[in-house]
């Protein structure tokens, strides 16, 4: 079709097919909690990542004690997308986990309807900044405890208490490596966003 040709019109009695509604969600959390893994697990396209090698200098700043095999880190963002159904497509933006890259968060989060804060219960303090960010900007979010090695160190009630999040914030266990588990966690965020909007 050339630019001068008219767009095809649906046949009589046939409804026009609308593209799915684009919805932006942010996946946040501390260093090495599984953000890049979660985006990669569910994205229907090859995810865009901005992974860089962890240098000796960075290793002296970032705590690698719980992620000794981690050799790269996100320095800008991760991006992927997933079509939930013919009417809805999620665009996923993963934030960098290190505090020194926090200046990019405002740009990454702009236009997002909600967020998923991924938590490693072995180092809960790494996710406080993400929880505070969404709370202060009144952006709906859910807390997803990543089940490293198939287990979590603390109960969900203990996690809720430690993070001091309200009862209205869902706290759940998920596995960032499992597509279905990531999908279910994202759907919880969508439900939060819909409830906030009155939809």
């Amino acid at each position: 079709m050339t630019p001068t040709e008219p767009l095809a019109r649906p046949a009589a009695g046939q409804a026009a097919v609308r593209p799915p509604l684009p919805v932006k969600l942010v996946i946040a959390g501390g260093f090495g909690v599984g953000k890049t893994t979660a985006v990669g697990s569910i994205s229907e396209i090859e995810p865009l990542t901005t992974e860089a090698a962890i240098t000796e200098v960075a290793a002296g700043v970032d705590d690698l004690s719980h992620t000794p095999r981690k050799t790269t880190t996100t320095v800008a963002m991760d991006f992927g997308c997933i079509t939930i159904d013919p009417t809805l497509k999620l665009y996923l933006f993963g934030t960098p986990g290190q505090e020194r890259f926090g200046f990019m968060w405002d740009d990454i989060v702009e236009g997002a309807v909600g967020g998923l804060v991924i938590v490693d219960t072995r180092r809960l303090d790494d996710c406080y900044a993400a929880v505070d960010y969404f709370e202060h900007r009144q952006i709906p979010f859910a807390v997803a405890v990543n089940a490293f090695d198939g287990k979590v160190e603390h109960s969900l009630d203990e996690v809720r208490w430690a993070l001091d999040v309200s009862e209205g914030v869902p706290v759940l266990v998920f596995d960032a490596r499992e597509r279905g588990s990531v999908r279910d966690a994202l759907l919880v965020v969508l439900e939060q966003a819909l409830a906030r909007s009155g939809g």
Side-chain angles (χ1 to χ4, degrees), residues 7-178:
L7 294 174
R9 297 176 184 268
Q14 184 181 28
V17 178
R18 292 185 177 178
L21 178 70
V23 174
K24 180 179 182 180
L25 293 181
V26 173
I27 298 179
F31 170 75
V33 296
K35 300 180 298 295
T36 300
T37 300
V39 172
S41 294
I42 197 165
S43 181
E44 64 194 15
I45 63 169
E46 184 69 27
L48 166 69
T49 61
T50 55
E51 294 281 289
I54 296 175
T55 64
E56 287 185 25
V57 173
V61 175
D62 301 319
D63 181 6
L64 300 175
S65 60
H66 291 289
T67 54
R69 295 188 299 272
K70 188 170 177 61
T71 59
T72 62
T73 185
T74 301
V75 295
M77 69 173 187
D78 299 313
F79 172 78
C81 63
I82 178 69
T83 303
I84 298 297
D85 62 35
T87 67
L88 185 65
K89 186 167 189 171
L90 302 184
Y91 290 89
L92 310 173
F93 290 77
T95 65
Q98 299 94 325
E99 189 176 330
R100 62 183 178 276
F101 297 125
F103 65 91
M104 291 184 279
W105 274 52
D106 286 343
D107 289 333
I108 294 173
V109 173
E110 184 176 359
V113 301
L116 183 69
V117 177
I118 301 180
V119 171
D120 180 349
T121 55
R122 300 170 298 182
R123 45 200 175 97
L124 284 173
D125 55 337
D126 287 356
C127 71
Y128 291 153
V131 169
D132 288 346
Y133 187 94
F134 289 113
E135 284 182 339
H136 289 149
R137 284 158 184 79
Q138 299 183 333
I139 299 172
F141 71 99
V143 173
V145 177
N146 197 359
F148 285 91
D149 300 320
K151 61 182 180 181
V152 295
E153 299 290 322
H154 302 283
S155 72
L156 295 184
D157 285 341
E158 290 172 326
V159 171
R160 181 182 297 283
W161 178 86
L163 297 180
D164 193 27
V165 293
S166 72
E167 289 296 325
V169 175
V171 179
L172 54 109
V173 174
F174 92 132
D175 188 329
R177 302 165 299 180
E178 297 291 334

